[in-house]
Amino acid sequence: MASSGLGDLEREVMAHLWDAGVPLTVRQVHEHLSGARSLAYTTVMTVLDRLAKKGVVRQERADRAYRYAPVQTREEMTAALMLDALGATPEGPARDAALVHFVGRVGPEGAAALRAALERAGSRS
Amino acid sequence: MTTLLLGGLGLGLSLLVPEVLARARWTARAPGPSVVLWQAVTLASVLSAVGVVLVAPEELVRALDTGPDVEAWVLVGALAVAGLIVARLVWSTAGVLLRSQRRRARHADLVDLLGRAETGALQHPGGAPLRVLDGPLPLAYCLPGRAPRVVLSGAALQALTAEQVQAVLTHEQAHLRARHDLVLESFTAVYQAVPRPLRSRVPLESVSLLLEMVADDAARARCGPAPLASALCAMSTDGDLSTHNLSTHDLGPAGRAARRHDRTPQDDRRRRVGRLQRPATAEGSLRASVLALAVAVLVLPTAFVVAPWLAQALASLPPLPGW
């Protein structure tokens, strides 16, 4: 279950980056997560690298060290995800694919409300 | 003659029949067989189009009585165009499958990062893993694929009782088990492959509603009709209309046009709730008739239009070298 373990770690790392609010180095993330267990520094590095490849984390170079920050706030990402689920994303061709099935199909009102939430979240950050 | 018959059949199957079928009320009483009927109608219309392309040149050549050389070339041309139609369909299907698979994989990645994994009583034994997404809208959906997921929003968990949540989850697991995504994607692929003046969203939307009804029936069989019906009402976004004070005015011209011409999500929901409020009936004979109709739609044109033509055409085929 190595892959699912890494998945859990990705979630923890993301949660920590969101809570921190400022870009963190690999060392800082490692120190925070390895408090109660043994966790290799390189594992944290791998996880951050994977998150960067997925495009959810941004890598910035400052003071000769790489720092990592989430690309979007948690609220923005949730709202964007829900818009994608609703098929209300602006990118046209993606709309063709029926992504999901809803119990209650949400109409344009729902999508508009969500977009408003996304904009509010965007203006706060 | 065969050309006209096939052409008429093709036009009827792609323009007239879908309108009638979309308006029919009996489809809701046998949603599963009705989906099969829609598939048969769509496949038959594609076959008619291919048939016209193959038959028309042959009939024309025979009527004009040109030499065997011309006839052979015309045959090659007809086969090429027919091949092009089939290739376009295959290409469209591959594109739709690939794009939706990518999009779902990406979506599942993000859901895994953001969502809480639910391992308690809500997790169906043997079912796809459940993720809870803390968001402002009451949503429930499933992500089909090799690693399927069911996603519930935090708002949905708050709005629903435990019984309703179970009904909703059973509904979603039914979608995943029966691979309804593949059915919808096949209709999306045909929609995209058909040239613009002939294409219509009617089959896609009707099938989408029928698949919801199939999943509703699965949830009704396991949890009874009441929890799902009330969940459907509780998860409607009509409430958002008032709280966010959005009117049709805010939807813009496109939104208003969509409201005039299409069934709205509210209409679909009303039909689904209405079904759940009526007592469940077996409908055995209706289901059998609809399936028989589906088979007939596929078989009869082949038997009565294509086969006679084929016999005639083969009889008059110029002897090709090597045959």
Side-chain angles (χ1 to χ4, degrees), chain A residues 96-117:
Chain A
D96 63 18
L99 177 67
V100 288
H101 304 274
F102 285 100
V103 155
R105 241 170 83 197
V106 181
E109 316 85 29
L114 204 54
R115 224 175 262 122

Side-chain angles (χ1 to χ4, degrees), chain A residues 7 10-11 14 18 51 53-56 74-75 77-89 91 93-114 116-117 120, chain B residues 99-100 103-104 106-107 109-117 133-137 139-144 153 168 171-172 175 180-181 184-185 188 192 212 232 237 240-241 244 246 251 259 265-266 268-269 272:
Chain A
E10 284 181 11
R11 265 152 49 89
M14 268 322 270
W18 271 318
L51 290 173
K53 280 212 184 82
K54 285 181 183 174
V56 291
R74 200 180 296 210
E75 293 74 24
M77 206 159 130
T78 306
L81 207 51
M82 287 190 163
L83 276 180
D84 182 48
L86 294 174
T89 39
E91 63 220 86
R95 287 211 54 188
D96 63 18
L99 177 67
V100 288
H101 304 274
F102 285 100
V103 155
R105 241 170 83 197
V106 181
E109 316 85 29
L114 204 54
R120 277 200 303 277
Chain B
R99 276 196 302 273
S100 52
R103 189 161 156 239
R104 282 196 196 111
R106 166 87 184 153
H107 195 102
D109 259 0
L110 296 184
V111 163
D112 284 352
L113 281 180
L114 268 169
R116 285 179 275 132
L133 205 57
D134 283 311
L137 268 188
L139 289 186
Y141 59 90
C142 57
L143 285 164
S153 70
V168 166
H171 171 106
E172 297 301 339
H175 277 316
H180 288 166
D181 52 309
L184 267 187
E185 274 157 22
T188 309
Q192 292 196 342
E212 294 303 330
L232 280 175
T237 49
D240 290 346
L241 263 175
H244 292 274
L246 283 165
L251 297 176
R259 289 220 142 178
Q266 282 81 11
D268 283 0
R269 195 176 48 244
R272 286 169 62 194

Side-chain angles (χ1 to χ4, degrees), chain B residues 50-61:
Chain B
V50 174
V52 167
V53 170
L54 288 178
V55 171
E58 190 273 337
E59 285 199 323
L60 197 67
V61 166

Side-chain angles (χ1 to χ4, degrees), chain B residues 180-204:
Chain B
H180 288 166
D181 52 309
L182 294 179
V183 178
L184 267 187
E185 274 157 22
S186 66
F187 279 92
T188 309
V190 172
Y191 169 76
Q192 292 196 342
V194 170
R196 212 166 282 276
L198 286 176
R199 68 163 60 159
S200 146
R201 288 196 79 86
V202 169
L204 187 56

Side-chain angles (χ1 to χ4, degrees), chain B residues 15-257:
Chain B
L15 297 176
L16 215 63
V17 173
E19 288 298 326
V20 175
L21 209 48
R23 272 168 232 275
R25 292 277 146 184
W26 48 262
T27 51
R29 279 162 44 214
S34 298
V35 169
V36 176
L37 180 58
W38 271 109
Q39 286 176 312
V41 166
T42 305
L43 187 58
S45 72
V46 170
L47 289 178
S48 310
V50 174
V52 167
V53 170
L54 288 178
V55 171
E58 190 273 337
E59 285 199 323
L60 197 67
V61 166
R62 197 141 41 88
L64 297 176
D65 203 15
T66 55
D69 277 358
V70 180
E71 207 164 313
W73 279 113
V74 165
L75 194 68
V76 169
L79 281 172
V81 177
L84 217 62
I85 294 181
V86 174
R88 191 182 157 115
L89 259 176
V90 170
W91 179 251
S92 168
T93 308
V96 167
L97 287 178
L98 192 70
R99 276 196 302 273
S100 52
Q101 194 195 339
R102 273 202 201 128
R103 189 161 156 239
R104 282 196 196 111
R106 166 87 184 153
H107 195 102
D109 259 0
L110 296 184
V111 163
D112 284 352
L113 281 180
L114 268 169
R116 285 179 275 132
E118 198 57 63
T119 48
L122 288 179
Q123 178 63 53
H124 275 212
L130 172 66
R131 298 274 184 272
V132 176
L133 205 57
D134 283 311
L137 268 188
L139 289 186
Y141 59 90
C142 57
L143 285 164
R146 245 167 290 164
R149 311 247 186 298
V150 175
V151 184
L152 266 183
S153 70
L157 271 182
Q158 272 173 0
L160 302 179
T161 66
E163 248 191 329
Q164 290 171 331
V165 169
Q166 276 310 331
V168 166
L169 293 180
T170 311
H171 171 106
E172 297 301 339
Q173 299 283 6
H175 277 316
L176 289 177
R177 249 199 326 278
R179 291 310 304 259
H180 288 166
D181 52 309
L182 294 179
V183 178
L184 267 187
E185 274 157 22
S186 66
F187 279 92
T188 309
V190 172
Y191 169 76
Q192 292 196 342
V194 170
R196 212 166 282 276
L198 286 176
R199 68 163 60 159
S200 146
R201 288 196 79 86
V202 169
L204 187 56
E205 280 165 14
S206 304
V207 167
S208 160
L209 176 60
L210 287 170
L211 289 176
E212 294 303 330
M213 292 176 176
V214 172
D216 284 350
D217 287 347
R220 182 218 293 253
R222 210 157 130 187
C223 311
L228 187 64
S230 55
L232 280 175
C233 298
M235 293 190 43
S236 78
T237 49
D238 296 345
D240 290 346
L241 263 175
S242 52
T243 49
H244 292 274
N245 201 16
L246 283 165
S247 63
T248 18
H249 175 74
D250 295 318
L251 297 176
R256 279 198 298 277

